[in-house]
């Protein structure tokens, strides 16, 4: 500890000619970060050497939503409190680091899961390193103006990043049909908790081979002089460039191939340093996990690179198949990536050629197995002008896994049904998890201390199954009162944070009913909005008695090109304007849409929630990890029988959650019988009244009453379109059931002891949902690598 403070003082002096107490927040962040990096360097080097001598795994992901690193790193090193005290002696509040931006290199659950898995792998001493992209700009910063989402660039690197080390000497070249770029690696240390083990996240940045054409500049062709530089850097400029247009699709494909090729070249360089050109050990020493379909070009690229080592296609493909495993994260058709074949031939023709070879091999293999022509047609990797990346991943992997029990069963029974029938031995379930260190220990120290006291040690930080000992205290009135006191404190802190970030005055004496996640129609934030309007009208008309005052908090980003999602944000903000300012309801009902929801905001939100909203249409949320964070911090789940909600209810007891709505089998039956939302809408005046607020002038759709984006939302619920059935996500069907569940949860909250026990039951039975458990399962059952 003393060494870090000495290094901090030396760094402050050498970099800025300042004392520690004179540094700005960004200067302090950089100085302390460098001091920490200097302190951990020997352990990091030793860990790399150890991993290099054994079988190891790599996690390929287009997203790593790491969040702010300073607090987490100090916490995992066990020195957060010491640093806090020593900085305080110098008159510095450690909370100044809240002014430093998150590394928003992810969009939501997929990227945050990847971050949790790296954290858990380091802690459980699993030799797992990550590979991804070092985007110059994160997802985007979200502003709310006149109720609408506005996107602005998120230049998270503007104050420099002490956690990433540029490794210029290990740069590689990546070639496309029309372009060759340099891939520069940046290494981030992933620090384990209660261990000296440190893993690595290597992020690639695209740069030009020649970044300045002096001759062109001299000839006053200034744009041409930097064109190669700009074209190269565009590849890693932004997470998920908008692909509504051809140019966007090209850039996104380049992005995916870029990081896959660079990462594989890196792995092969390391392998060849040990074994030369003998690749017979490659699959024995390396395991690659493909996190969704974004990194699936890894498969043909590995085949291509192996063939460059004088291997034939069949040999190269067998090595690739034994090396790779695929995690499916969605059942949504639009998220199972498909690339136009002609686009691939224009961008990565060699890769498309190898995919065709793999596709032909697949069909030959299926023929040899006696598979029917109809079934083979459903399993074509290249089908007409379309390349199906999920099919490629499923065929070319040793293992395929879903991320919750229900999700895996849906993969087997529906999305990948044919593949499961042919290759049942490949399919596994790996229910997602979260790291209890960031999502409880770090962000909720008061609750963490209470758990340590009740459990008898803090070993639950590295073995969350030990938290089950809390079950012995859930009936104890003093324990319940203590928990309720902690929850109130976290609500006060969140209210203060919301005031600081968004300017809203939130009342911490109300129920906090919270829905924070990516904005997508299937997650049904619109259903939540309709339920609030239903409750609002009942309160206005004195039809709802004994309502406990409630604050509904939303946080979500909509993809820039997703018009309906943006319309839902506007609608929620219109509701907020109405109910927050109505003298009849403002003391009973408040609605707030917080802006720029990110990891740091989440750390304040999940600890303060009383009710966690998890309202996805049954069968569509693969797992969810937000639901686990809320559970671990003592919120009840108000949700559908979907994803990990099912397992949460099984672990904590369904009586301690509020499960509502159609289940998967109900929805299948409704589809088979011909679901008619218009019939339900016409038969239920309350539903009709609420849904019609979209078009009847209750709210301002930017002056386009009855004709704008709200009208399009209304139509989507009641009219079939050329590409989607009316009410495709069953909002109208589930709305009455949802309102009933919401009112029951509200009424139950009035009994603070009984409700507090429900919350404690959630905490005590959250052990299954640690990413430590999940990562050890991957290590044992998919990667076959060592662990603690």
């Amino acid at each position: 500890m003393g060494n870090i403070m000495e290094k901090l003082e030396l760094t402050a002096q050498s970099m800025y000619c300042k004392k520690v107490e004179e540094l700005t927040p960004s200067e302090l962040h950089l100085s302390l970060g460098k001091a920490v990096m200097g302190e951990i360097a020997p352990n990091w080097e030793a860990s790399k050497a150890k991993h290099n001598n054994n079988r190891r795994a790599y996690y390929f992901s287009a997203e790593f939503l790491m969040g702010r690193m300073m607090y987490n790193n100090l916490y995992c090193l066990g020195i957060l409190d010491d640093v806090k005290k020593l900085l305080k002696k110098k008159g510095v509040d450690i909370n100044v680091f809240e002014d430093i931006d998150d590394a928003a290199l992810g969009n939501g659950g997929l990227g945050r899961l990847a971050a949790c898995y790296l954290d858990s792998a380091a802690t459980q001493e699993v030799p797992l390193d990550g590979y991804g992209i070092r985007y110059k700009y994160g997802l985007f910063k979200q502003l709310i103006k006149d109720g609408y989402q506005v996107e602005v660039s998120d230049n998270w690197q503007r104050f420099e990043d002490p956690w990433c080390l540029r490794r210029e000497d290990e740069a590689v070249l990546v070639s496309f049909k029309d372009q060759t770029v340099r891939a520069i690696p940046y290494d981030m240390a992933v620090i384990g908790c209660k261990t000296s083990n440190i893993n690595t996240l290597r992020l690639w940045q695209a740069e030009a081979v020649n970044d300045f054409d002096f001759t062109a500049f001299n000839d006053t062709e200034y744009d041409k002089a930097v064109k190669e530089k700009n074209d190269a850097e565009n590849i890693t400029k932004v997470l998920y460039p908008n692909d509504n247009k051809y140019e966007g699709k090209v850039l996104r494909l380049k992005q995916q191939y870029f990081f896959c090729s660079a990462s594989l070249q890196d792995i092969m360089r390391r392998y060849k340093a040990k074994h030369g050109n003998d690749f017979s050990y490659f699959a024995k020493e390396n395991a690659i996990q493909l996190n969704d379909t974004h990194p699936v070009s890894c498969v043909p690229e590995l085949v291509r690179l192996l063939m460059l080592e004088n291997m034939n296609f069949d040999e190269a493909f067998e090595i690739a198949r034994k090396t790779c495993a695929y995690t499916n994260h969605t059942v949504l058709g639009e998220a199972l990536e498909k690339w136009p074949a002609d686009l691939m031939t224009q961008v990565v023709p060699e890769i498309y050629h190898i995919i065709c070879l793999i596709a032909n091999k697949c069909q030959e293999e299926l023929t040899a197995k006696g598979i029917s022509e109809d079934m083979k047609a459903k399993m074509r990797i290249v089908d007409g002008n379309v390349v199906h990346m999920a099919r490629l991943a499923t065929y070319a992997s040793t293992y395929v896994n879903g991320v919750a029990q229900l999700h895996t069963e849906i993969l087997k029974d529906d999305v990948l049904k044919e593949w499961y029938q042919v290759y049942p031995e490949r399919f596994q379930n790996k229910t997602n998890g979260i790291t209890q260190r960031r999502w409880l220990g770090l962000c909720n120290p008061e609750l963490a201390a209470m758990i340590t006291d009740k459990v008898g040690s803090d070993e639950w930080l590295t073995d969350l199954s030990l938290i089950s000992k809390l079950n012995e205290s859930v009936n104890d009135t003093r324990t319940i009162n203590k928990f309720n006191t902690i929850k109130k404190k976290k609500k006060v802190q969140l209210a203060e944070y919301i005031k600081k970030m968004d300017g809203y005055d939130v009342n911490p004496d109300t129920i906090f009913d919270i829905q924070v996640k990516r904005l997508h129609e299937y997650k049904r934030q619109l259903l939540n909005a309709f339920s609030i309007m239903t409750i609002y009208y009942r309160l206005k008309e004195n039809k709802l008695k004994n309502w406990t005052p409630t604050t509904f908090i939303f946080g979500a980003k909509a993809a820039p090109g997703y018009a309906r999602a943006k319309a839902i944000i506007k609608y929620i903000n219109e509701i907020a304007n109405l109910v927050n300012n109505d003298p009849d309801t403002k003391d009973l009902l408040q609605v707030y849409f917080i802006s720029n929801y990110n990891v740091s905001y989440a750390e304040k939100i999940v600890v303060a929630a009383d009710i966690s909203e998890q309202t996805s249409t049954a069968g569509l949320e693969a797992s969810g990890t937000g639901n686990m964070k809320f559970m671990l911090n003592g919120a009840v789940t108000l949700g559908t029988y979907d994803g990990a909600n099912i397992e949460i209810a099984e672990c904590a007891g369904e009586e301690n959650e509020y499960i509502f709505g159609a289940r998967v089998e109900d929805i299948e039956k409704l589809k088979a019988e011909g679901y008619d939302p218009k019939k339900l809408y016409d038969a239920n005046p309350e539903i009709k009244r609420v849904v019609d607020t979209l078009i009847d002038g209750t709210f301002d759709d930017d002056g386009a009453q009855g004709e704008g984006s709200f009208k399009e939302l209304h139509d989507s619920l009641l009219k079939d379109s050329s590409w989607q059935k009316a009410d495709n996500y069953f909002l109208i069907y589930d709305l009455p059931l949802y309102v009933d569940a919401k009112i029951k949860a509200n009424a139950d909250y009035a009994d603070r002891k009984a409700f507090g026990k429900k919350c404690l039951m959630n905490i005590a039975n959250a052990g299954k949902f640690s990413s430590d458990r999940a990562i050890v399962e991957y290590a044992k059952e998919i990667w076959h690598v060592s662990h603690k």
Side-chain angles (χ1 to χ4, degrees):
M1 183 58 241
N3 287 341
I4 286 181
M5 293 309 292
E6 288 171 17
K7 285 174 180 169
L8 170 59
E9 289 172 341
L10 286 171
T11 304
Q13 185 63 39
S14 63
M15 289 184 67
Y16 301 109
C17 295
K18 288 181 178 181
K19 296 178 181 178
V20 170
E21 56 269 31
E22 296 172 341
L23 297 172
T24 67
S26 60
E27 291 168 348
L28 180 62
H29 180 258
L30 190 62
S31 300
L32 182 55
K34 286 185 176 296
V36 171
M37 292 294 283
E39 191 71 9
I40 68 170
N43 284 346
W44 196 8
E45 197 58 37
S47 298
K48 287 181 179 179
K50 181 181 178 183
H51 296 171
N52 210 31
N53 289 327
N54 298 287
R55 177 171 168 81
R56 61 197 300 189
Y58 301 98
Y59 204 77
F60 279 40
S61 180
E63 302 181 37
F64 285 95
L65 191 50
M66 303 303 289
R68 199 180 287 131
M69 298 296 294
M70 179 63 79
Y71 299 125
N72 191 68
N73 283 346
L74 295 177
Y75 186 83
C76 285
L77 289 168
I79 60 174
L80 178 61
D81 289 338
D82 291 333
V83 170
K84 194 181 296 185
K85 289 172 187 172
L86 288 167
L87 287 176
K88 191 174 182 180
K89 283 182 181 178
K90 294 182 176 294
V92 179
D93 184 347
I94 199 167
N95 290 325
V96 297
F97 295 133
E98 290 190 353
D99 293 336
I100 306 301
D101 286 341
D102 287 20
L105 307 185
N107 184 33
L110 181 87
R112 187 52 231 172
L113 177 76
C116 283
Y117 278 176
L118 292 187
D119 176 289
S120 285
T123 297
Q124 297 301 320
E125 298 182 14
V126 174
L128 175 73
D129 292 327
Y131 277 113
I133 298 175
R134 189 173 190 256
Y135 304 100
K136 178 174 176 57
Y137 298 100
L139 179 61
F140 58 82
K141 278 191 175 176
Q142 180 196 54
L143 306 178
I144 302 294
K145 292 186 177 177
D146 299 324
Y148 288 99
Q149 169 177 296
V150 176
E151 304 94 17
V152 296
S153 63
D154 173 28
N155 185 9
W156 68 279
Q157 298 176 26
R158 71 187 188 282
F159 290 134
E160 295 188 64
D161 173 22
W163 309 113
C164 281
L165 301 180
R166 183 180 171 99
R167 304 288 194 186
E168 184 89 25
D169 58 318
E170 296 187 354
V172 297
L173 296 178
V174 176
S175 294
F176 307 96
K177 183 177 182 180
D178 63 346
Q179 183 184 23
T180 296
V181 301
R182 294 177 76 221
I184 310 294
Y186 283 75
D187 285 354
M188 179 183 289
V190 183
I191 300 169
C193 181
K194 298 192 176 192
T195 173
S196 61
N197 184 61
I198 297 174
N199 290 356
T200 303
L201 169 59
R202 175 159 280 195
L203 300 172
W204 298 98
Q205 182 170 294
E207 296 183 4
V209 177
N210 301 296
D211 66 0
F212 187 71
D213 185 338
F214 188 80
T215 302
F217 191 87
N218 231 20
D219 292 339
T220 71
E221 296 182 87
Y222 304 127
D223 290 341
K224 182 181 177 183
V226 292
K227 185 178 188 305
E228 184 178 342
K229 179 178 189 294
N230 291 340
D231 288 349
E233 292 178 1
N234 280 343
I235 293 172
T236 54
K237 191 79 80 181
V238 176
L239 170 71
Y240 296 156
N242 194 337
D243 63 353
N244 290 349
K245 296 181 180 178
Y246 177 80
E247 293 79 7
K249 287 183 171 62
V250 168
L251 188 56
R252 194 179 280 209
L253 179 58
K254 282 188 173 184
Q255 209 172 60
Q256 294 182 5
Y257 176 70
F258 165 81
F259 100 84
C260 288
S261 178
S263 304
L264 289 169
Q265 290 182 61
D266 195 48
I267 293 169
M268 290 185 70
R269 171 191 56 76
R270 199 176 296 117
Y271 176 87
K272 288 173 75 172
K274 283 177 65 180
H275 297 289
N277 292 324
D278 178 5
F279 282 88
S280 59
Y281 301 98
F282 189 84
K284 295 174 185 174
E285 293 195 0
N286 301 290
I288 294 172
Q289 192 69 32
L290 306 174
N291 192 31
D292 217 10
T293 50
H294 312 120
V296 171
S297 56
C298 167
V299 173
E301 175 64 1
L302 180 53
V303 172
R304 185 186 75 84
L305 292 172
L306 289 170
M307 289 174 71
L308 290 177
E309 301 292 336
N310 297 317
M311 203 174 289
N312 67 42
F313 166 74
D314 288 325
E315 292 170 330
F317 176 73
E318 281 311 307
I319 290 175
R321 176 151 64 178
K322 288 175 182 174
T323 302
C324 295
Y326 163 54
T327 299
N328 175 284
H329 282 278
T330 185
V331 300
L332 296 177
E334 68 266 25
L336 294 169
E337 285 186 305
K338 305 172 188 70
W339 289 107
D342 50 7
L343 176 74
M344 293 196 90
T345 59
Q346 289 302 310
V347 180
V348 282
E350 290 180 84
I351 293 306
Y352 177 66
H353 171 67
I354 290 172
I355 290 174
C356 288
L357 293 178
I358 295 171
N360 291 339
K361 184 178 181 67
C362 176
Q363 290 291 302
E364 289 169 5
E365 194 172 307
L366 294 174
T367 300
K369 287 177 176 288
I371 304 302
S372 71
E373 291 300 317
D374 285 349
M375 190 162 165
K376 280 166 57 182
K378 295 175 183 177
M379 299 173 74
R380 288 190 188 117
I381 293 170
V382 180
D383 192 3
N385 188 46
V386 178
V387 179
H388 293 260
M389 302 305 277
R391 295 178 188 176
L392 173 59
T394 305
Y395 174 61
S397 292
T398 304
Y399 300 104
V400 177
N401 72 278
V403 291
Q405 288 171 4
L406 174 64
H407 172 232
T408 300
E409 291 308 308
I410 291 172
L411 293 182
K412 293 177 181 178
D413 297 341
D414 184 6
V415 179
L416 299 175
K417 177 175 68 175
E418 293 80 15
W419 297 94
Y420 177 64
Q421 290 172 6
V422 178
Y423 303 105
E425 70 284 354
R426 293 186 188 176
F427 284 73
Q428 294 189 13
N429 177 62
K430 294 287 172 280
T431 296
N432 284 344
I434 57 169
T435 163
Q436 65 269 30
R437 291 165 289 281
R438 184 184 283 263
W439 294 109
L440 175 53
L442 178 62
C443 63
N444 202 343
E446 298 89 350
L447 181 57
M450 187 190 101
I451 290 168
T452 296
D453 178 56
K454 297 297 178 184
V455 169
S457 78
D458 68 352
E459 292 303 309
W460 59 270
L461 283 170
T462 54
D463 181 0
L464 193 59
S465 68
L466 297 175
I467 206 170
S468 64
K469 291 183 181 178
L470 187 61
N471 276 305
E472 298 168 11
S473 304
V474 296
N475 291 308
D476 178 52
T477 300
R478 287 175 301 176
T479 302
I480 294 171
N481 289 342
K482 186 165 187 179
F483 167 76
N484 285 339
T485 300
I486 291 169
K487 181 67 76 171
K488 175 62 184 298
K489 181 177 181 180
K490 305 320 282 187
K491 290 164 78 170
V492 169
Q493 290 173 352
L494 176 58
E496 292 169 350
Y497 193 75
I498 290 174
K499 178 68 174 176
K500 173 186 169 185
M501 302 302 290
D502 285 287
Y504 301 137
D505 290 308
V506 177
N507 180 3
D509 291 319
T510 59
I511 297 174
F512 278 13
D513 182 308
I514 297 179
Q515 186 171 34
V516 286
K517 53 184 76 254
R518 184 166 54 90
L519 202 308
H520 195 290
E521 287 169 272
Y522 88 83
K523 293 178 183 287
R524 302 202 295 186
Q525 286 94 341
L526 183 57
L527 178 66
N528 193 352
F530 285 157
S531 77
I532 293 169
M533 285 305 298
T534 304
I535 289 164
Y536 167 74
Y537 284 131
R538 290 188 188 180
L539 289 171
K540 284 279 286 183
E541 295 164 2
N542 293 314
K543 293 178 180 176
L544 184 56
K545 306 298 182 184
N546 303 316
W547 172 261
T548 304
T550 301
T551 298
F552 294 96
I553 298 173
F554 293 85
K557 291 181 179 179
Y562 194 170
R564 273 190 198 166
K566 288 183 162 184
I568 292 167
I569 291 176
K570 170 64 172 172
Y571 181 65
I572 292 167
N573 280 304
E574 286 295 304
I575 291 173
N577 287 337
L578 173 68
V579 304
N580 295 357
N581 296 299
D582 189 324
D584 295 336
T585 61
K586 65 184 179 65
D587 294 329
L588 296 172
L589 201 60
Q590 292 278 291
V591 178
Y592 299 104
F593 193 104
I594 57 110
S595 63
N596 203 43
Y597 174 64
N598 58 15
V599 175
S600 292
Y601 225 138
E603 289 172 2
K604 301 288 193 300
I605 286 173
V606 298
V607 300
D610 296 304
I611 297 171
S612 160
E613 296 270 2
Q614 307 295 335
T615 61
S616 53
T617 308
L620 296 186
E621 185 70 84
S623 170
T625 51
N627 47 7
M628 301 171 189
K629 293 160 194 166
F630 284 109
M631 178 195 196
L632 184 59
N633 284 278
V636 300
T637 296
L638 173 58
T640 49
Y641 207 67
D642 193 30
N645 292 353
I646 298 170
E647 290 160 76
I648 286 172
E650 287 172 352
C651 290
E654 197 163 325
E655 69 277 10
N656 296 308
E657 318 298 347
Y658 296 87
I659 304 299
F660 73 90
R663 300 191 177 192
V664 171
E665 56 271 25
D666 300 322
I667 286 173
E668 291 305 315
K669 185 178 178 184
L670 285 167
K671 287 178 178 177
E673 292 175 352
Y675 172 55
D676 184 359
K678 183 73 163 54
K679 193 172 181 180
L680 295 178
Y681 161 90
D682 287 334
N684 188 321
E686 188 172 58
I687 291 176
K688 186 176 190 304
R689 180 185 190 182
V690 168
V691 172
D692 282 356
T693 60
L694 286 164
I695 58 166
D696 65 7
T698 302
F699 298 120
D700 177 21
D701 185 10
D702 202 26
Q705 291 179 2
E707 296 298 330
S709 59
F710 287 3
K711 173 65 160 57
E712 205 279 329
L713 279 178
H714 192 270
D715 287 348
S716 75
L717 296 170
L718 299 172
K719 299 178 182 177
D720 290 347
S721 69
S722 60
W723 58 280
Q724 196 175 71
K725 287 284 189 182
D727 194 19
N728 191 51
Y729 300 107
F730 298 88
L731 278 73
I732 290 174
Y733 182 88
D734 272 351
L735 180 57
L737 303 166
Y738 179 39
V739 171
D740 289 346
K742 191 165 260 186
I743 291 171
K744 184 177 190 317
N746 183 278
D748 287 353
Y749 182 88
D751 184 340
R752 300 299 298 117
K753 182 180 177 183
F755 197 87
K757 181 185 173 183
K758 287 176 183 278
C759 296
L760 286 171
M761 287 293 291
N762 274 276
I763 299 168
N765 294 286
K768 174 180 180 176
F769 302 104
S770 172
S771 49
D772 294 355
R773 181 270 314 155
I775 213 69
V776 168
E777 287 182 4
Y778 276 99
K780 286 172 20 181
E781 298 165 16
I782 290 183
W783 306 327
H784 309 299
V785 296
S786 63
H787 57 90
K788 190 188 286 185

